[in-house]
Amino acid sequence: MFPIYWMVVTSLKNTVDIFAIPPKWFFSISFENYWYIMSDDSGFLKKILNSAIASTLNALFTLLLAFPAAYSMSRYKTGGINLLMWFLSIRMIPPIVGAIPLFIIFSKLGLVDTFIALPILYIIINLPFAIWMIKSFMDEIPKEIDESAYVEGCSTTGVIFKIIVPLIRPGIFATLVFCFIMSWNEFLIAYIFTRKEAITAPVGVARFITERQILWGYITAGATLASILPMILLIIFQKNLVRGLTLGAVK
Amino acid sequence: MVIPAVLILLLLTIYPFIYLIYVSSHIWPISPTLPRIFLGFGQFTYLFQDPAFIESLQVTVNLMVVGVTLQISLGTLLAILLSTRTKITNYFTLPFMIPVFISPVVVGLIWKFMFNYDLGILNYLLEYIGVGSINWLGTPRNAFWSVVIIDTWQWTPFTTLIIKAGLDSVDQTPIEAATVDGANRFQIFRHVTFPSIAPIFTVALLFRTLDAFKAFDIIYIVTRGGPGGSTYVLGYNIWKTAFYQNQLGLAGAMSVIMIIIATILAFILVRIMKNLLERE
């Protein structure tokens, strides 16, 4: 925990205190780094906004694709264990490996540095996770509930929206949040596929390392801002998020 | 209803993969106006004679083995400690999991600051207790271990959590029986607990191995592959070759090799997961 404490503390120091030797444990709180970070000069807020757009779009895309797939795999065992494993193996591909061909393809399509590039690319990373996660929540609902609904004349759509969705609502939210956080934190793909307009927060923070100097005040302030949202989401959704991380291995 | 998901993933993986093989057989500059030259397998034969490439493979494997071994051993230790005191554990879980859920970029930057030779808090503390400053990122050996420390800090919570979940699900009856028979705690762990958590243990191991194989973010932020190539991992090598040295074809060839290795690792993981699921 200390490194995180130290990051927040440093971000609240003024430049003189940051470079003080020995490091100051007690200091007067200064928001100068945050004022700069939030000003138009740094453009950091725009990067946070870009991150939010990319992550939200990706979470929605992923859910739209994952839910029907998970439903069918949970209820009709579509593709069986092999399909489930195929999804898992997609998750294991190192992203850098896909980056080269996809970069050439996206360049040709004029998609590099657009707001749609990252949400699409993150599907590769998040969809396998999301399918596993939603399926593991659905598997916990006894099939007898579906069956009794069918007996009472409910249609498949009815079963899905009136029974399954309400029952796994926490699971659906956790999946959305999980995809959101993964996209929010991603660096490599964002770094390659954005130039100027669509830069995300992690890329923005990394750019405070300049050739001449490392702007520690801005870096720690930017890093703190970029971490607040994931931390709040972790506090709210803790158990179910952890479950996603381990593909349902931890319940 | 799996079709949309499968189609999208095929489109985003299989097609680029075929295209990657095509790219890897050419000299392929980023700028579309420059000519592409067909080489066939030329870049692959070049790579296997390129000491820098072989070294980056070596570094990747070293980092992977050392990092994962540490994370698993520490994770096991912590899991055992935590699982014996269930009540306190609940308060610990949340702050404990934070490193896993924040960006590796942030993690890398915090540690880079703490490792700083002149300004870093670590050297200050070492001076204070009289050990003297360490040049954390300045020498090849230290930089390697510093990266290991960062990775271990970020991912030990993950291994702890998985192994703890395994431990918590262990049936207590044989353990009690063994205690009655006079087995000591180590014997119980070795012969009763461990065999029953072995599968989940393997899952943690392989997950971390595959993730460690992808290492890029922390290396990029903290060391940029240096000094002297000591942290020049494969992922960083590919990125630099493609987007810094402008040789997409050569980087493509490296990517093909990386995919082959990742596939073998993933295949092992899938086999074990499959056994695990089928047993349930």
Side-chain angles (χ1 to χ4, degrees):
Chain A
M1 278 305 288
F2 177 78
I4 292 168
Y5 164 79
W6 198 240
M7 164 181 83
V8 178
V9 164
T10 306
S11 74
L12 292 168
K13 288 178 178 175
N14 65 39
T15 317
V16 179
D17 283 349
I18 290 175
F19 289 92
I21 300 167
K24 286 197 176 176
W25 298 97
F26 301 102
F27 57 93
S28 57
I29 289 179
S30 144
F31 286 100
E32 72 173 50
N33 297 316
Y34 286 94
W35 295 135
Y36 172 76
I37 286 279
M38 306 233 227
S39 70
D40 288 342
D41 288 347
S42 80
F44 193 72
L45 281 188
K46 182 165 185 302
K47 287 159 195 161
I48 294 260
L49 185 68
N50 288 343
S51 277
I53 295 173
S55 311
T56 310
L57 283 179
N58 171 263
L60 292 174
F61 290 170
T62 308
L63 182 70
L64 281 179
L65 292 166
F67 187 87
Y71 175 76
S72 148
M73 290 166 77
S74 168
R75 286 305 185 255
Y76 303 103
K77 306 268 172 258
T78 315
I81 201 159
N82 288 321
L83 186 63
L84 202 58
M85 290 303 153
W86 182 69
F87 285 127
L88 180 64
S89 58
I90 298 270
R91 153 74 177 70
M92 297 303 165
I93 302 172
I96 182 71
V97 161
I100 289 167
L102 285 164
F103 180 79
I104 301 174
I105 296 167
F106 274 51
S107 299
K108 281 186 184 156
L109 297 172
L111 287 173
V112 172
D113 202 26
T114 62
F115 291 99
I116 202 71
L118 296 183
I120 294 177
L121 291 165
Y122 291 159
I123 290 177
I124 313 174
I125 301 173
N126 282 335
L127 185 53
F129 255 121
I131 291 175
W132 273 71
M133 204 165 159
I134 298 181
K135 182 178 171 293
S136 89
F137 281 100
M138 275 183 195
D139 286 346
E140 279 170 17
I141 306 173
K143 270 192 184 159
E144 290 73 34
I145 298 184
D146 299 28
E147 277 153 20
S148 61
Y150 283 122
V151 171
E152 292 185 12
C154 212
S155 64
T156 310
T157 352
V159 170
I160 292 174
F161 286 102
K162 287 193 190 124
I163 294 166
I164 308 244
V165 172
L167 281 175
I168 64 161
R169 189 171 288 148
I172 291 178
F173 276 117
T175 310
L176 276 172
V177 169
F178 188 83
C179 296
F180 184 91
I181 295 181
M182 288 299 129
S183 308
W184 182 273
N185 287 341
E186 204 283 336
F187 174 68
L188 174 61
I189 299 289
Y191 188 52
I192 293 174
F193 286 82
T194 62
R195 289 275 174 274
K196 197 164 164 251
E197 291 306 317
I199 285 181
T200 59
V203 180
V205 182
R207 286 202 173 184
F208 285 124
I209 306 180
T210 63
E211 291 291 325
R212 275 169 292 131
Q213 54 178 338
I214 300 181
L215 308 160
W216 288 118
Y218 301 158
I219 285 177
T220 47
T224 307
L225 282 184
S227 311
I228 288 175
L229 200 55
M231 286 199 226
I232 295 175
L233 292 170
L234 174 64
I235 292 169
I236 304 175
F237 294 94
Q238 38 176 321
K239 261 210 169 130
N240 289 333
L241 279 187
V242 165
R243 188 166 152 174
L245 191 71
T246 57
L247 290 172
V250 175
K251 297 225 162 101
Chain B
M1 279 187 277
V2 290
I3 290 165
V6 171
L7 273 184
I8 290 272
L9 279 179
L10 281 177
L11 194 72
L12 287 170
T13 57
I14 304 294
Y15 173 62
F17 178 64
I18 295 164
Y19 196 61
L20 174 68
I21 293 174
Y22 177 72
V23 172
S24 70
S25 62
H26 290 72
I27 290 180
W28 193 301
I30 289 186
S31 162
T33 49
L34 292 171
R36 313 180 185 329
I37 302 157
F38 180 75
L39 282 181
F41 285 106
Q43 317 212 72
F44 289 94
T45 44
Y46 167 78
L47 279 178
F48 283 113
Q49 288 151 10
D50 175 20
F53 177 72
I54 304 293
E55 203 193 322
S56 84
L57 268 180
Q58 185 76 51
V59 169
T60 312
V61 172
N62 289 351
L63 215 54
M64 201 162 83
V65 172
V66 175
V68 174
T69 310
L70 264 176
Q71 288 155 29
I72 295 285
S73 343
L74 272 175
T76 312
L77 206 69
L78 283 169
I80 294 173
L81 286 176
L82 288 173
S83 74
T84 46
R85 302 187 193 101
T86 346
K87 269 201 177 149
I88 317 168
T89 317
N90 295 332
Y91 299 102
F92 272 122
T93 316
L94 188 64
F96 192 60
M97 287 309 290
I98 289 177
V100 180
F101 282 96
I102 57 178
S103 176
V105 171
V106 171
V107 172
L109 286 168
I110 309 173
W111 280 92
K112 194 181 168 96
F113 184 49
M114 297 202 306
F115 280 143
N116 190 293
Y117 188 80
D118 302 312
L119 293 174
I121 184 79
L122 292 175
N123 275 352
Y124 167 72
L125 292 174
L126 288 177
E127 288 283 347
Y128 191 79
I129 58 168
V131 177
S133 291
I134 292 179
N135 194 355
W136 293 97
L137 303 171
T139 72
R141 213 187 137 111
N142 289 357
F144 177 86
W145 284 99
S146 297
V147 170
V148 170
I149 292 174
I150 302 175
D151 205 46
T152 306
W153 179 79
Q154 184 169 26
W155 287 103
T156 303
F158 172 77
T159 52
T160 308
L161 199 79
I162 293 201
I163 296 168
K164 185 177 167 297
L167 284 177
D168 289 349
S169 65
V170 171
D171 184 9
Q172 292 298 315
T173 337
I175 296 181
E176 280 154 20
T179 319
V180 173
D181 291 342
N184 66 32
R185 288 183 74 172
F186 177 75
Q187 285 172 320
I188 293 178
F189 184 77
R190 171 74 188 76
H191 295 288
V192 184
T193 316
F194 189 75
S196 54
I197 63 161
I200 207 163
F201 198 79
T202 324
V203 170
L205 185 79
L206 282 161
F207 260 96
R208 280 308 306 139
T209 306
L210 275 151
D211 278 345
F213 187 59
K214 300 187 223 179
F216 174 84
D217 302 3
I218 286 173
I219 303 284
Y220 176 83
I221 297 290
V222 181
T223 63
R224 305 246 163 157
S230 58
T231 57
Y232 201 62
V233 291
L234 198 50
Y236 186 75
N237 192 352
I238 293 178
W239 173 81
K240 198 172 173 187
T241 310
F243 298 103
Y244 193 77
Q245 294 166 346
N246 201 6
Q247 298 176 297
L248 289 181
L250 187 60
M254 293 181 190
S255 304
V256 172
I257 297 170
M258 193 174 188
I259 280 200
I260 293 171
I261 302 172
T263 310
I264 297 169
L265 289 173
F267 184 73
I268 302 172
L269 172 68
V270 161
R271 280 292 290 274
I272 293 169
M273 286 286 278
K274 222 168 151 176
N275 286 338
L276 205 66
L277 288 182
E278 274 166 353
R279 218 182 338 167
E280 273 174 9

